[in-house]
């Protein structure tokens, strides 16, 4: 079955048309889709399936294993509904599916509405599909299964897509919408790559989307699931081609952008270096020299400082700030949290107390009267260095002598935040910092429009964090280690990938709520707090402060703590569901401990039924503490699920490609971009019109090559 009609009588549809143009999408559905960033027909067809259900291979209930995606045929028994533990208003549904051999498989529905329970076809032959897991009593189960009635007069589908949708829109309804959309865009949906240079192996965009949304019965479903089909590859190359051209245009603009020459005779920086009780590493000195050279130029500096956890990025940043100040200008350091901004201020005052630099901090916690005083000092130029958060770019802050804007943990900020900071002084130099490990070759491609400085050496004498992979689902061993560390006056992080058991309608055995139910009893009265995205932002800082100041022994959290909070007494971190994180993110989390002089440990506890490849990745992390090695391993082994799941691309609008995985595609797209720029350097030809539209669409995602790395 083809998605598109070959008939010329089908009216063509402009991809930029509002989503309401499509039959089946009324005002209410359009409103909920808008909340997901889907405004146009093109947005709709670019929402790819998150997975595929292969109905061709039917298993027996007795042979399915935890972790596998299975389809089991059988008779569905009565659905038993009862209140969920700890949440009486929410209902849990359970039923048994009995196959032809008499073996049964449990089907489970969390928070099941009464109408849904009534609609389940009990005492009927059905196909039940989904991820197999294990219930607390050891029974194999499928949570929120997809059900399909078995009927002799109905041909079963071969492969069906599954989308991540608002609850107001069902899978079948959305599939019909996509069908209708693609059938009417045969001639109007053009890719960015001009036909003159598009390789034969790269199918046209509309053809690729048809193959992804309505797979052929004989296709390789594993390639589809892994995002490795020819059609997925075509989307990735099309996107990366656009990205490379956007970088090229920005590079040309950057060469013409005037800056501020901070080139006075060194004074503060010389005194700081002489006062340090240790020698700078060779990598730190090289980075300082590169930044100093850029800041002395009359052209604007746009540089990124990439440094492993604990490599000394903050000290390099202080040298850059002092270079601006000793040249008669001001500097701003923006961090993603109040706690981190305060930490930077304390560290600066510790290193630079004798330099008589007037500093201030500006966060949401600063009282109104003090804020007015700080703003006046910045406007007058008497405050030379200010540390802060988003408060720096709100409320009329003026920094007229600003020569350096520095952003720490830059991937934590939206591009508009970066643009607002830059608007404080459009000619100011920009220095971004990140601790995310990125391979050198990839950094040169990703940050082609920026200068790249790398810190690939750690300070001497630092004790590596011991990393231990524990058995899947184990809780007791990690709890015992935490008790031992706290008994010695230390503190512990516990990390989970999810907040609750019902996130994304899937069973999540490694969750904040689950751990908060189990851990206190295992920790013998220790003071345990929790932190996650549903906690109000003002309360988050308060919780982190209580943990930092020793009022909490254990902090159970999501990756909110990934940002560089410094708790020297934290000596153990246990990451549950570790297989759900990328290696780079685990490396960042591991960096939350070992920040003092005490030996520290990191426990990685995979989920029950974790994929063998994920366990292999954890083993690699356990054997290296070097961020560059971690980045290389991540690049070689990262699972395909990262392509359409949670990716660490920051604000980059790459929806179909992974900068960590698709190195060959990046090289291919760069070659295509170079060929086209040789033909049309300014993208002004008629053939370049789709390219400019694609770049504009990228910009509409909140992306600006001038503001992000």
């Amino acid at each position: 079955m083809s998605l598109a009609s070959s008939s010329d009588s089908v009216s063509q549809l402009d991809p930029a048309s509002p989503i309401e143009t499509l039959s089946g999408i009324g005002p209410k559905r359009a409103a909920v889709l808008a909340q997901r960033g889907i405004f146009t027909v093109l947005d709709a067809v670019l929402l790819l399936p998150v997975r595929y259900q292969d109905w061709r291979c039917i298993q027996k209930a007795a042979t399915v294993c935890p972790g596998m995606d299975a389809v089991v045929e059988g008779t569905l028994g009565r659905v038993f509904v009862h209140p969920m533990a700890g949440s009486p208003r929410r209902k849990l549904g359970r039923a048994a599916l009995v196959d032809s051999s008499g073996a049964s498989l449990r089907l489970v529905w969390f928070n099941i509405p009464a109408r849904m329970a009534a609609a389940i076809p009990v005492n009927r032959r059905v196909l039940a599909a989904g991820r197999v897991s294990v219930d607390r009593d050891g029974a194999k189960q499928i949570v929120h299964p997809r059900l399909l009635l078995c009927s002799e007069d109905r041909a079963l589908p071969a492969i069906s897509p599954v989308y991540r949708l608002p609850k107001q829109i069902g899978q079948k309804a959305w599939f019909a919408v996509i069908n209708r959309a693609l059938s009417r865009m045969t001639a109007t949906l053009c890719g960015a790559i001009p036909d003159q240079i598009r390789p034969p192996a790269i199918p046209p965009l509309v053809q690729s989307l048809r193959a992804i949304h309505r797979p052929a019965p004989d296709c390789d479903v594993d390639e589809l699931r892994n995002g490795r089909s020819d059609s997925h590859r075509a989307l990735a190359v099309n996107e990366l081609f656009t990205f490379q051209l956007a970088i090229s245009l920005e590079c040309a603009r950057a060469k013409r952008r005037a800056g501020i020459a901070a080139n006075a005779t060194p004074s503060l920086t010389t005194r700081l270096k002489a006062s340090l009780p240790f020698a700078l590493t060779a990598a730190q000195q090289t980075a300082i020299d590169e930044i100093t050279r850029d800041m002395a130029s009359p052209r604007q500096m746009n540089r990124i400082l990439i440094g492993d956890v604990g490599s000394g990025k903050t000290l390099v940043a202080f040298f850059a700030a002092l270079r601006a100040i000793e040249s008669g200008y001001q500097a701003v350091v923006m961090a993603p949290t109040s706690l981190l901004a305060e930490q930077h201020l304390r560290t600066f005052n510790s290193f630079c107390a004798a330099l008589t630099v007037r500093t201030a901090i500006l966060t949401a916690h600063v009282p109104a009267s003090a804020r007015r005083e700080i703003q006046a000092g910045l406007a007058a130029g008497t405050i030379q260095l200010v540390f802060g958060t988003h408060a720096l770019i709100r409320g009329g802050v003026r920094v007229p002598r600003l020569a350096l804007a520095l952003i720490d943990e830059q991937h934590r900020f939206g591009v508009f935040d970066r643009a607002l900071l830059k608007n404080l002084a459009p000619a100011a130099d920009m220095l971004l910092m990140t601790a995310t490990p990125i391979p050198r070759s990839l950094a040169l491609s990703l940050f082609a429009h920026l200068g790249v400085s790398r810190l690939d050496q750690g300070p001497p004498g630092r004790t590596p964090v011991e990393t231990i992979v524990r058995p899947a689902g184990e809780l007791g061993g990690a709890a015992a280690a935490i008790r031992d560390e706290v008994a010695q006056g230390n503190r512990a992080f516990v990390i989970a990938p999810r907040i609750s058991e019902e996130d994304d309608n899937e069973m999540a055995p490694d969750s904040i709520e689950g751990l908060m139910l189990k851990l206190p009893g295992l920790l013998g009265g220790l003071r345990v707090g929790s932190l996650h995205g549903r906690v109000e932002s003002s309360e988050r800082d308060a919780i982190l402060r209580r943990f930092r100041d020793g009022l909490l022994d254990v902090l159970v959290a999501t990756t909110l703590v990934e940002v560089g909070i410094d708790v020297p007494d934290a000596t153990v971190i246990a990451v549950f569901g570790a297989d759900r994180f990328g290696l780079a993110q685990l490396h960042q989390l591991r960096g939350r401990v070992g920040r003092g002089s005490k030996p520290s440990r990191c426990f990685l506890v995979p989920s029950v039924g974790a994929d063998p490849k994920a366990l292999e990745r954890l083993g690699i992390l356990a054997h290296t503490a070097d961020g560059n090695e971690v980045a290389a391993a991540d690049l070689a082994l990262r699972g395909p699920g990262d392509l359409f799941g949670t990716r660490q691309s920051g604000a980059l609008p790459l929806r179909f490609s992974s900068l960590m995985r698709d190195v060959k595609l990046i090289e291919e797209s760069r070659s295509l971009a170079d060929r086209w720029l040789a033909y049309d350097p300014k993208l002004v030809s008629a053939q370049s019109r789709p390219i400019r539209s694609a770049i504009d669409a990228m910009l509409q995602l909140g992306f600006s090559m001038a503001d992000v790395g």
Side-chain angles (χ1 to χ4, degrees):
M1 173 181 175
S2 172
L3 276 176
S5 169
S6 60
S7 171
D8 293 335
S9 63
V10 176
S11 63
Q12 290 297 301
L13 183 64
D14 184 349
S17 299
I19 188 68
E20 297 96 322
T21 306
L22 295 173
S23 175
I25 302 296
K28 291 184 178 179
R29 284 181 170 177
V32 297
L33 288 170
Q35 294 175 3
R36 300 286 183 95
I38 300 171
F39 301 97
T40 67
V41 174
L42 180 61
D43 294 334
V45 298
L46 292 182
L47 180 68
L48 303 190
V50 291
R51 61 180 183 273
Y52 293 87
Q53 185 58 62
D54 187 355
W55 301 93
R56 300 171 300 182
C57 182
I58 300 175
Q59 293 98 357
K60 293 292 185 182
T63 60
V64 298
C65 300
M68 74 184 306
D69 289 310
V71 179
V72 179
E73 180 179 354
T75 300
L76 185 60
R78 176 187 170 190
V79 180
F80 294 90
V81 179
H82 55 83
M84 293 179 61
S87 184
R89 294 184 180 180
R90 309 176 79 179
K91 304 299 181 184
L92 178 72
R94 282 197 176 103
L97 181 73
V98 181
D99 66 16
S100 57
S101 70
S104 67
L105 178 69
R106 182 179 295 170
L107 306 183
V108 179
W109 296 267
F110 289 111
N111 198 25
I112 184 171
R115 55 181 171 75
M116 179 179 171
I120 293 175
V122 298
N123 299 320
R124 303 283 297 276
R125 296 289 294 177
V126 300
L127 292 177
R131 177 67 58 88
V132 179
S133 59
V134 178
D135 204 350
R136 291 182 175 86
D137 61 3
K140 288 184 290 188
Q141 63 181 7
I142 294 179
V143 177
H144 291 279
R146 298 186 74 191
L147 298 178
L148 187 67
L149 276 172
C150 296
S151 175
E152 293 180 358
D153 60 353
R154 177 180 178 182
L156 297 178
I159 302 165
S160 60
V162 181
Y163 301 90
R164 183 170 288 123
L165 299 167
K167 63 182 180 181
Q168 295 88 342
I169 304 176
Q171 296 288 334
K172 291 181 181 178
W174 185 251
F175 177 75
V177 166
I178 298 302
N179 244 349
R180 288 190 288 268
L182 288 176
S183 69
R184 296 177 57 195
M185 289 195 293
T186 305
T188 58
L189 186 55
C190 301
I193 305 174
D195 289 339
Q196 296 97 311
I197 63 169
R198 181 170 52 80
I202 302 296
L205 184 61
V206 70
Q207 179 181 326
S208 299
L209 287 169
R210 288 180 195 141
I212 289 171
H213 287 291
R214 187 63 166 104
D218 59 348
C219 74
D220 187 328
V221 72
D222 287 333
E223 285 191 347
L224 280 175
R225 288 170 173 163
N226 295 341
R228 291 174 179 159
S229 70
D230 289 342
S231 298
H232 284 98
R233 181 173 174 271
L235 291 184
V237 173
N238 191 79
E239 177 177 69
L240 289 167
F241 174 78
T242 304
F243 182 68
Q244 293 291 345
L245 287 173
I247 287 177
S248 296
L249 293 177
E250 170 56 23
C251 284
R253 284 193 295 266
K255 291 176 181 178
R256 302 189 298 268
R257 196 174 290 132
I260 298 171
N263 55 8
T265 301
S267 55
L268 297 175
T269 50
T270 301
R271 290 168 59 191
L272 172 59
K273 185 175 181 180
S275 69
L276 293 175
F278 51 81
L280 295 170
T281 66
Q284 284 177 309
Q285 188 60 62
T286 298
I288 291 169
D289 292 343
E290 291 168 343
I291 293 167
T292 300
R293 187 164 52 249
D294 276 5
M295 292 182 68
S297 167
R299 296 296 175 190
Q300 187 178 54
M301 177 180 76
N302 280 283
R303 181 166 287 275
I304 186 166
L305 178 61
I306 304 173
D308 203 354
V309 175
S311 60
K313 294 186 301 299
T314 304
L315 186 55
V316 172
F318 292 164
F319 272 91
L322 289 174
R323 188 72 189 116
I325 294 166
E326 67 189 4
S327 297
Y329 297 100
Q330 296 166 286
V332 166
V333 178
M334 188 164 75
T337 67
S338 298
L339 205 68
L340 187 54
E342 293 168 7
Q343 180 176 298
H344 284 330
L345 176 61
R346 284 196 307 272
T347 306
F348 181 86
N349 288 337
S350 173
F351 279 123
C352 307
L355 301 183
T356 63
V357 173
R358 189 177 176 195
T359 62
I361 187 163
L362 198 55
T363 70
H365 300 291
V366 174
S369 58
R371 179 185 177 90
R372 287 192 295 270
E373 183 178 341
I374 292 169
Q375 286 184 245
L378 288 170
T382 55
I383 294 178
Q384 299 160 293
L385 174 59
V386 61
F387 298 87
T389 57
H390 291 85
L392 290 166
I393 53 178
R394 295 171 184 162
V397 175
R398 292 180 57 249
V399 192
R401 298 285 295 168
L402 182 62
L404 176 68
L406 191 151
I407 302 178
D408 192 14
E409 303 286 356
Q410 60 90 22
H411 62 285
R412 291 282 180 169
F413 289 95
V415 289
F416 295 116
D417 295 332
R418 286 185 277 267
L420 287 171
L421 180 63
K422 205 161 194 176
N423 283 341
L424 292 178
D429 291 332
M430 179 72 73
L431 179 61
L432 311 176
M433 296 201 303
T434 181
T436 300
I438 303 171
R440 186 177 300 275
S441 60
L442 180 59
L444 293 175
S445 176
L446 173 57
F447 304 123
H449 61 302
L450 300 176
V452 178
S453 295
R454 299 184 69 93
L455 298 183
D456 50 12
Q457 296 173 294
R462 185 179 289 267
T463 303
V465 177
E466 181 185 11
T467 304
I468 305 163
V469 180
R470 303 296 300 178
E474 181 202 70
L475 189 58
I482 290 170
R483 287 198 309 271
D484 291 344
E485 292 294 331
V486 174
Q488 299 175 49
N490 302 319
R491 293 193 281 288
F493 288 100
V494 175
I495 307 298
R498 298 174 184 252
I499 298 172
S500 63
E501 296 281 342
E502 296 82 42
D503 278 1
D504 293 335
N505 288 332
E506 294 179 7
M507 184 64 173
D510 309 305
S511 68
I512 298 293
E513 290 181 359
L515 288 169
M516 288 300 290
L517 286 173
K518 302 167 189 172
L519 267 180
L522 294 171
L523 294 178
L526 297 184
R527 298 166 297 175
V528 182
S530 66
L531 181 67
H532 50 75
R534 294 177 190 167
V535 175
E536 292 292 334
S537 57
S538 58
E539 178 62 14
R540 292 179 199 173
D541 279 349
I543 293 170
L544 284 169
R545 284 189 179 86
R546 288 201 294 272
F547 180 66
R548 181 196 66 190
D549 298 339
L551 301 178
L552 291 174
D553 302 310
V554 181
L555 183 62
V556 181
T558 57
T559 54
L560 283 176
V561 300
E562 180 186 0
V563 174
I565 176 178
D566 192 4
V567 184
D569 288 331
T571 57
V572 62
I573 182 169
V575 183
F576 290 88
D579 53 293
R580 299 175 184 267
F581 299 98
L583 287 188
Q585 193 168 35
L586 288 171
H587 184 64
Q588 289 278 83
L589 290 168
R590 177 169 59 181
R592 296 312 97 215
V593 299
R595 304 181 76 84
S597 58
K598 303 175 182 177
S600 300
R601 289 177 288 174
C602 171
F603 294 100
L604 302 177
V605 186
S607 307
V608 174
D611 183 87
K613 181 178 285 188
L615 297 178
E616 179 184 356
R617 291 166 60 231
L618 297 183
I620 291 174
L621 192 70
H623 288 93
T624 180
D626 183 271
N628 293 315
E629 292 182 25
V630 169
D634 215 6
L635 182 62
L637 292 172
R638 175 170 293 194
D642 287 330
L643 191 58
F644 301 113
T646 302
R647 292 173 293 132
Q648 298 173 54
S649 54
L652 295 177
L654 299 181
R655 303 169 64 182
F656 313 119
S657 52
S658 166
L659 289 170
M660 292 295 288
R661 191 191 75 173
D662 296 328
V663 174
K664 290 183 179 179
L665 297 188
I666 292 171
E667 294 171 353
E668 181 177 354
S669 66
R670 185 193 299 163
S671 175
L672 291 172
D674 289 343
R675 285 178 59 192
W676 191 251
L677 286 173
Y679 168 73
D680 185 10
K682 297 184 178 180
L683 305 181
V684 295
S685 67
Q687 298 96 321
S688 290
R689 192 171 297 126
I691 299 174
R692 298 203 73 94
S693 296
I695 293 175
D696 288 344
M698 194 169 270
L699 295 174
Q700 288 171 13
L701 291 174
F703 176 62
S704 170
M705 292 305 304
D707 299 321
V708 300

